[in-house]
Amino acid sequence: MKKTLLAAAALCALTSGAAMAQNYPQDGKWMVRARAVHLDSANKDSTPLDLSVNNKMIPELDISYFFTPNFAAELILTYPQKHDVRAGGAKIGSLKHLPPTLLAQYHFTQLGAFKPYVGVGINYTRFSSVKFDPAVDAALNPSVKKNSFGPALQIGFDYALDKNWSINFDVKKVYIKTDVRSFGTKVGTFKVDPLLVGVGLGYRF
């Protein structure tokens, strides 16, 4: 009998805890998230060089403003990320890219603590610190266009832990490209077009 009562009490506690998590309103206008993100580059190259950049884990910070419970804008930020540049798998140099992204989001609010969303927006990427090996510089005098604009798509969800804190899972496809030149003449286009898969924590207030 005691075991039955203890089991019933535990079940009630778990059920009430789940119900409390689902009933937290999370109705603040602002939300800040920190994510760990895996950047997986598409590496589409139309030059004869078979160019690619390495995949990597990056930190990400985003700030969201909710105009209504369903509609929000999200600004995604990180610091300039360094990548190795390879030709046919061999490293020939390095560069950094800074890719702030602005998204308009729709949040689904009918599922309690589980809050999925979709987003669409625009990415701006600035390429900097572009360096090539001396032998590559002498042979090809390569350069890349420093600025890229492209669309961004997003799908993800927040799971509310309480009225402020959430766990977040997020997937983005971002379209980033640059023209590649040799001695000032365009020889093709390199598309990074990364898939970004992230997990993190959010705080709404």
Side-chain angles (χ1 to χ4, degrees):
M1 184 67 178
K2 287 183 178 180
K3 289 183 179 180
T4 304
L5 290 173
L6 287 171
L11 180 62
C12 288
L14 289 172
T15 304
S16 62
M20 284 180 66
Q22 291 182 8
N23 288 330
Y24 280 120
Q26 287 213 324
D27 55 359
K29 295 282 189 181
W30 293 93
M31 190 169 193
V32 178
R33 299 184 189 89
R35 299 187 183 112
V37 175
H38 183 260
L39 185 154
D40 186 2
S41 301
N43 289 327
K44 299 175 182 176
D45 182 31
S46 67
T47 76
L49 301 174
D50 188 23
L51 296 173
S52 64
V53 296
N54 60 294
N55 301 328
K56 64 185 300 184
M57 293 294 299
I58 67 172
E60 187 178 276
L61 175 71
D62 72 73
I63 303 167
S64 297
Y65 181 81
F66 286 77
F67 299 97
T68 73
N70 298 107
F71 291 98
E74 180 179 77
L75 178 63
I76 297 171
L77 302 168
T78 188
Y79 61 85
Q81 296 297 319
K82 185 176 181 179
H83 290 268
D84 293 338
V85 179
R86 297 185 174 98
K91 182 180 175 181
I92 62 169
S94 64
L95 57 75
K96 292 182 179 180
H97 85 288
L98 180 65
T101 303
L102 182 63
L103 295 154
Q105 297 175 326
Y106 182 83
H107 291 254
F108 300 88
T109 57
Q110 302 86 359
L111 301 175
F114 180 64
K115 304 176 187 298
Y117 57 85
V118 293
V120 62
I122 187 167
N123 165 265
Y124 166 71
T125 294
R126 172 72 177 176
F127 294 100
S128 63
S129 301
V130 181
K131 298 177 182 177
F132 293 99
D133 291 347
V136 175
D137 263 329
L140 299 175
N141 189 25
S143 62
V144 299
K145 185 179 179 181
K146 295 297 181 69
N147 302 301
S148 170
F149 290 91
L153 305 173
Q154 179 187 47
I155 185 169
F157 68 85
D158 295 297
Y159 187 86
L161 301 175
D162 61 24
K163 66 179 181 180
N164 299 112
W165 291 98
S166 297
I167 296 172
N168 176 258
F169 178 78
D170 184 87
V171 179
K172 292 181 287 293
K173 180 67 175 180
V174 182
Y175 293 87
I176 301 171
K177 65 180 181 179
T178 183
D179 293 338
V180 181
R181 295 181 171 86
S182 177
F183 293 99
T185 300
K186 181 178 174 180
V187 294
T189 300
F190 177 61
K191 297 181 179 180
V192 183
D193 292 353
L195 182 70
L196 301 155
V197 180
V199 293
L201 285 174
Y203 185 82
R204 188 162 174 177
F205 59 97

